[in-house]
Amino acid sequence: MIHDRPTAASQTPHPCGQCQFYEGSVWTPIEPGSVSVLAGRFHRRELEADQVLFEQGDANQGVFCVSRGLIALRTHHADGTSTLLKLAYPGEVIGFRSFLDNGNHKTEARALIPSRVCTVARRDAERVVRASPGVLARLAARCVDEIDRNQARIIATATTSNKERLADTLMELIERHGEVDGEVIRARLPLSRKDLADLIGVPPETLSRLIGRLGKEGFFAFSGREVRIPAEGVRTA
Amino acid sequence: MIHDRPTAASQTPHPCGQCQFYEGSVWTPIEPGSVSVLAGRFHRRELEADQVLFEQGDANQGVFCVSRGLIALRTHHADGTSTLLKLAYPGEVIGFRSFLDNGNHKTEARALIPSRVCTVARRDAERVVRASPGVLARLAARCVDEIDRNQARIIATATTSNKERLADTLMELIERHGEVDGEVIRARLPLSRKDLADLIGVPPETLSRLIGRLGKEGFFAFSGREVRIPAEGVRTA
DNA sequence: GCTTGTCATTGACGATCATCAAAACAGAAC
DNA sequence: GTTCTGTTTTGATGATCGTCAATGACAAGC
């Protein structure tokens, strides 16, 4: 059924940890060299920081689920510049678009920190999708979620100031990457200034000034890629 | 198969004209009062300008495909204001998100001009999706397309000036709603200034000034909701 | 050590923009 | 016609923003 709530089966921990590409199907990991004859098979891949999962323009080889770490999706423009489009956290599915239309990847996917992805080869993905429509429905639901998030972001970009957007983005990042350290929460941002600037949609110079202003106002304290905020900042947020 | 190109069957004109919710399934129109026992059934609904298709918060009753006209999707905020999120042109599917998660509509859908939608009731939609995975795949593909468009819009909002964005948006609208009239192309914009302002993400006052500037520059000529551009404008665009 | 390259910050400037308030306008009802 | 309503435009102002250029920080390589 298309609107299934998670069933007992789908709540069973999937071998790859976070993978969405799963609905009670039979799965077996593929260690390099081994072959599986089962319905679905997947392959864990570890990525170091800055390692590329796929390049922009590569033919789609399948679907990827982030199970650990953080993947950046970037587009490279004709003039040599590039733009960070999206951060993919564990649980996110990557490559679904080019999987559906059997086309090429429109973005580059690159690990920002050491990461693990669960890769499902094209053929297997197709087989599982055909066998379990619920998987496709869940993937579709994720797409719809992403549409929602993007629309929220469009509204935010249009209606809020750059400073607000930066503060929001920082809080999100701190929530994911921060650790409580006594009276403060420390987070090492997994992004360069350029990437962070892309994320909130300003040029790097403007970001730098915003960071300066935000630092002066006292709530955030920056030093390089590290940010600190008061520990009660999260609870009240 | 998930990446099917349109087949002969799916290219057969669907009775409702533009509906995507179709893949060789058996369809029959439901005239008010009649009942169908076939796999899929749909109902044409005509909307006058400004008539509401569904309200924000309504429980999802099914999926809608625009077959003629233009539907505006708006969110109403807590403070009483509202924001135009998206224009749905013929061929677009509406309500898919709340269909998937069986939730409530997060937006209001309202016809901007006289329109026709093909409505597919929840139960029927579920049945067809279960029977024809290809339909779901195509719907998913549309979602993915929408993600692409939204991302393009996010980049555009972040990197281009308001004036550029207005000009682009106007050209799109003229392309859809314009008619050649001798040396010029005339288009009656189907949007209020407020909606147009939402679409490009500026307050109405700013939009008004932008329109003023654009008019002075000579390419676009405005009078109320009507726009005129030189006829060769489209060919060279 | 020095150079080189990359990335981040700062400075200066002009253009753009949002906001508030007021005026002009259009359309509907009478 | 007149009045009323809601929308659109205009005006004035100050803040924000993007751009170009210069500077600073820092690591890698010779």
Side-chain angles (χ1 to χ4, degrees), chain B:
Chain B
M1 215 169 308
I2 195 78
H3 55 290
D4 262 0
R5 296 294 160 200
T7 62
S10 65
Q11 280 177 342
T12 304
H14 183 265
C16 96
Q18 291 274 0
C19 183
Q20 298 295 325
F21 206 81
Y22 176 64
E23 190 196 54
S25 322
V26 184
W27 287 89
T28 181
I30 311 178
E31 296 314 324
S34 82
V35 174
S36 164
V37 293
L38 299 178
R41 26 183 214 179
F42 70 96
H43 176 54
R44 271 185 209 147
R45 184 156 164 212
E46 301 286 341
L47 298 168
E48 299 166 27
D50 214 45
Q51 199 178 340
V52 171
L53 177 58
F54 52 79
E55 301 269 6
Q56 179 171 350
D58 279 1
N60 173 281
Q61 304 289 348
V63 179
F64 306 89
C65 311
V66 184
S67 53
R68 200 166 53 81
L70 178 56
I71 309 290
L73 298 171
R74 284 198 191 82
T75 58
H76 293 273
H77 308 116
D79 62 0
T81 63
S82 67
T83 307
L84 177 71
L85 271 186
K86 185 177 132 95
L87 299 178
Y89 279 98
E92 303 244 19
V93 178
I94 295 179
F96 186 50
R97 127 120 245 170
S98 46
F99 169 69
L100 276 177
D101 66 6
N102 202 7
N104 295 341
H105 291 294
K106 295 197 169 166
T107 59
E108 169 208 87
R110 185 187 291 259
L112 284 173
I113 53 181
S115 304
R116 174 166 40 194
V117 294
C118 165
T119 84
V120 181
R122 207 177 160 75
R123 200 175 309 179
D124 293 312
E126 282 173 6
R127 210 177 333 169
V128 171
V129 161
R130 226 172 307 141
S132 329
V135 168
L136 186 54
R138 191 157 62 250
L139 290 176
R142 304 216 127 227
C143 287
V144 171
D145 282 346
E146 186 166 345
I147 290 175
D148 278 3
R149 279 198 303 276
N150 282 349
Q151 281 183 343
R153 192 165 151 196
I154 288 175
I155 296 187
T157 309
T159 60
T160 70
S161 73
N162 291 344
K163 199 169 82 174
E164 279 179 271
R165 248 171 22 257
L166 170 60
D168 288 348
T169 305
L170 284 172
M171 289 308 289
E172 278 177 33
L173 289 169
I174 290 171
E175 209 160 295
R176 285 184 182 274
H177 301 277
E179 286 177 10
V180 178
D181 176 9
E183 296 290 304
V184 301
I185 297 175
R186 295 175 186 282
R188 181 174 171 77
L189 301 179
L191 301 160
S192 71
R193 291 288 196 254
K194 165 73 170 58
D195 283 344
L196 188 51
D198 284 344
L199 209 55
I200 64 171
V202 298
E205 301 96 319
T206 299
L207 172 68
S208 188
R209 286 177 229 280
L210 291 173
I211 285 181
R213 268 199 275 164
L214 231 41
K216 276 213 187 63
E217 288 171 14
F219 185 78
F220 294 95
F222 299 88
S223 65
R225 286 198 178 187
E226 197 172 287
V227 204
R228 270 166 293 123
I229 60 170
E232 66 274 16
V234 163
R235 292 191 206 113
T236 59

Side-chain angles (χ1 to χ4, degrees), chain A residues 32-132:
Chain A
S34 83
V35 174
S36 162
V37 293
L38 298 178
R41 27 185 214 179
F42 70 95
H43 176 53
R44 272 187 207 143
R45 182 154 166 212
E46 301 285 341
L47 298 168
E48 301 166 25
D50 215 46
Q51 198 176 340
V52 171
L53 177 59
F54 52 79
E55 301 270 4
Q56 180 171 350
D58 278 1
N60 173 281
Q61 304 289 346
V63 178
F64 307 90
C65 310
V66 183
S67 51
R68 200 167 54 81
L70 178 57
I71 310 290
L73 298 171
R74 283 198 191 84
T75 57
H76 293 273
H77 307 116
D79 62 0
T81 63
S82 68
T83 307
L84 178 71
L85 272 186
K86 186 179 133 97
L87 299 178
Y89 280 98
E92 302 245 20
V93 177
I94 296 180
F96 186 50
R97 129 119 245 171
S98 46
F99 169 69
L100 276 178
D101 66 5
N102 202 8
N104 295 340
H105 291 294
K106 294 196 170 168
T107 59
E108 169 208 89
R110 185 186 293 258
L112 283 174
I113 54 181
S115 305
R116 174 164 43 195
V117 294
C118 164
T119 82
V120 181
R122 221 192 139 67
R123 201 174 311 179
D124 293 311
E126 282 173 8
R127 212 176 334 170
V128 172
V129 161
R130 227 170 308 142
S132 329

Side-chain angles (χ1 to χ4, degrees), chain A:
Chain A
M1 217 168 308
I2 196 79
H3 55 288
D4 264 359
R5 297 290 160 203
T7 62
S10 66
Q11 281 177 341
T12 305
H14 182 262
C16 96
Q18 290 275 0
C19 184
Q20 298 295 325
F21 206 82
Y22 175 63
E23 190 197 53
S25 321
V26 183
W27 287 89
T28 182
I30 310 178
E31 297 313 325
S34 83
V35 174
S36 162
V37 293
L38 298 178
R41 27 185 214 179
F42 70 95
H43 176 53
R44 272 187 207 143
R45 182 154 166 212
E46 301 285 341
L47 298 168
E48 301 166 25
D50 215 46
Q51 198 176 340
V52 171
L53 177 59
F54 52 79
E55 301 270 4
Q56 180 171 350
D58 278 1
N60 173 281
Q61 304 289 346
V63 178
F64 307 90
C65 310
V66 183
S67 51
R68 200 167 54 81
L70 178 57
I71 310 290
L73 298 171
R74 283 198 191 84
T75 57
H76 293 273
H77 307 116
D79 62 0
T81 63
S82 68
T83 307
L84 178 71
L85 272 186
K86 186 179 133 97
L87 299 178
Y89 280 98
E92 302 245 20
V93 177
I94 296 180
F96 186 50
R97 129 119 245 171
S98 46
F99 169 69
L100 276 178
D101 66 5
N102 202 8
N104 295 340
H105 291 294
K106 294 196 170 168
T107 59
E108 169 208 89
R110 185 186 293 258
L112 283 174
I113 54 181
S115 305
R116 174 164 43 195
V117 294
C118 164
T119 82
V120 181
R122 221 192 139 67
R123 201 174 311 179
D124 293 311
E126 282 173 8
R127 212 176 334 170
V128 172
V129 161
R130 227 170 308 142
S132 329
V135 169
L136 187 53
R138 192 157 60 248
L139 291 177
R142 304 217 127 228
C143 287
V144 172
D145 282 345
E146 185 166 346
I147 289 175
D148 278 3
R149 279 198 302 276
N150 282 349
Q151 281 183 345
R153 193 166 151 197
I154 288 175
I155 295 187
T157 309
T159 60
T160 70
S161 73
N162 290 344
K163 199 170 80 176
E164 280 178 89
R165 247 168 26 252
L166 170 60
D168 289 347
T169 305
L170 285 172
M171 289 307 292
E172 278 176 33
L173 289 168
I174 290 171
E175 209 160 293
R176 287 184 179 273
H177 302 278
E179 286 177 8
V180 179
D181 177 8
E183 297 290 303
V184 300
I185 298 175
R186 294 176 187 281
R188 182 175 171 74
L189 301 179
L191 301 159
S192 71
R193 290 289 195 253
K194 166 72 171 61
D195 282 344
L196 188 52
D198 285 343
L199 209 54
I200 63 171
V202 298
E205 300 97 321
T206 298
L207 172 67
S208 190
R209 286 178 230 278
L210 292 173
I211 284 180
R213 269 197 276 164
L214 231 42
K216 277 213 186 64
E217 289 170 14
F219 184 77
F220 295 94
F222 299 88
S223 66
R225 286 200 178 187
E226 198 172 285
V227 204
R228 270 166 293 122
I229 61 170
E232 64 275 17
V234 163
R235 289 188 208 115
T236 58

